Amino acid sequence: MSQAPGTTLDAAARYHETGWYAADFSLDHRSVSALRSRITALGEQRRPEVVQEKEGGATRAIHGCHAWDDLCAALVGLPELVGLAMSLLGGPVYTYQFKVNFKQPYEGAAWPWHQDYAFWQEEDGMPRPDAVNIAIALDHAHEGNGPLTVIPGSHRLGLLDLPASDTRTGDWRDHVSSDLAYTVSPDRAARLSAELGTELLVGPAGTVHAFHPSIVHSSTDNLSPDRRALLLITYNAVTNAPAAPARPDFLVSRDIAPVTPGADARLTLRQVR
Ligand code: SIN
Ligand code: MN
């Protein structure tokens, strides 16, 4: 099993206990600036992978741009990120999804309480939740700009509030807008939060967190003047690829070859602890 530099052996134990993990490395300032300029430009393109907010039309997210942008492609191969994913999943991984969620100042809309694995199981046929989200803050994520909020330990409860009958809409837009197709009810989320607490995944630009596909999470509207761009790479175990996914490639990658780790002179992760 590969060990990410600076990742202690108990990282996996802590991740599997709580469903999230704060990496002890962070992207440096120069790398953040390069990525920030790149994703800002990509977000201005008009193509299916670039999704707008329902209200106002600001760019909400970019999906799958590692497939057409060289800097994003280099990011997914960084040895520290691949090593962390492999440490947490226990074997080789491939890139299942790549996205940037923007949360523009004042306009960025909430993500209701949900579990990512509900989408990946129900829509794509992912066999097990043996994937991991690596979340990289490209802007300072703070209490005021709608940071990701997780309910620690909720990933161990399995999928919650799945509809009894088949609700597949066939429209992937229901998986990327503020009206998500699979949500955890507000009542249940309130009960779980009271029982298990909540954790805000905040930190300066460059901060890296990992979180489990089944953890219950949400984020609020961005009512602040600060953008909150969050880049999310989902690595999946190569043994856990869906057999016959139907959604577009930019939401569920067909390329299940293990990621080949490789450093890139434009992108540097530094130890922060
Ligand atoms: C967010 O960007 O706040 C939500 C991300 C997610 O649900 O994966
Ligand atoms: Mn999610």
Side-chain angles (χ1 to χ4, degrees):
M1 191 197 310
S2 162
Q3 187 72 26
T7 304
T8 57
L9 270 178
D10 69 359
R14 272 190 281 152
Y15 169 76
H16 288 292
E17 173 70 17
T18 62
W20 71 281
Y21 175 73
D24 45 19
F25 51 76
S26 163
L27 270 180
D28 73 358
H29 181 71
R30 192 179 54 95
S31 312
V32 167
S33 298
L35 278 165
R36 211 189 255 154
S37 322
R38 187 65 64 96
I39 58 108
T40 302
L42 294 176
E44 284 161 13
Q45 295 187 10
R46 287 294 167 267
R47 49 193 294 162
E49 297 93 329
V50 179
V51 173
Q52 283 77 38
E53 296 286 357
K54 283 193 165 160
E55 306 288 330
T59 299
R60 177 171 175 83
I62 311 173
H63 295 273
C65 52
H66 66 308
W68 83 86
D69 179 75
D70 63 310
L71 193 61
C72 295
L75 182 69
V76 302
L78 291 185
E80 294 87 346
L81 299 181
V82 179
L84 174 59
M86 289 176 66
S87 305
L88 300 181
L89 296 176
V93 297
Y94 71 96
T95 309
Y96 185 75
Q97 262 188 10
F98 183 105
K99 59 188 182 249
V100 182
N101 290 339
F102 277 97
K103 289 253 179 107
Q104 308 287 355
Y106 303 114
E107 289 187 86
W111 293 84
W113 290 108
H114 68 279
Q115 296 168 293
D116 292 344
Y117 185 53
F119 296 85
W120 302 340
Q121 174 184 275
E122 297 298 302
E123 298 291 331
D124 303 336
M126 183 190 276
R128 300 174 303 282
D130 291 348
V132 60
N133 291 307
I134 304 289
I136 305 173
L138 295 184
D139 297 316
H140 181 198
H142 57 79
E143 210 170 318
N145 62 354
L148 202 57
T149 305
V150 302
I151 302 183
S154 57
H155 65 298
R156 287 187 266 115
L157 303 174
L159 289 180
L160 306 167
D161 298 341
L162 275 188
S165 57
D166 189 350
T167 55
R168 272 174 292 186
T169 62
D171 189 347
W172 59 267
R173 288 168 195 80
D174 297 340
H175 313 146
V176 299
S177 76
S178 47
D179 302 320
L180 291 180
Y182 304 95
T183 57
V184 172
S185 76
D187 279 358
R188 187 193 289 274
R191 284 199 305 276
L192 285 176
S193 302
E195 188 190 331
L196 300 170
T198 54
E199 196 75 45
L200 301 185
L201 303 194
V202 290
T207 299
V208 180
H209 287 97
F211 65 97
H212 193 280
S214 299
I215 201 165
V216 177
H217 61 287
S218 70
S219 62
T220 57
D221 292 342
N222 183 3
L223 301 176
S224 84
D226 307 324
R227 191 183 73 171
R228 188 234 60 173
L230 185 68
L231 189 152
L232 292 141
I233 305 170
T234 304
Y235 295 103
N236 189 19
V238 293
T239 52
N240 193 40
R247 296 197 297 166
D249 222 59
F250 56 80
L251 292 180
V252 45
S253 173
R254 276 32 171 207
D255 179 2
I256 64 166
V259 183
T260 309
D264 188 285
R266 298 166 296 178
L267 298 170
T268 307
L269 288 154
R270 293 202 192 290
Q271 287 300 128
V272 286
R273 282 183 273 281

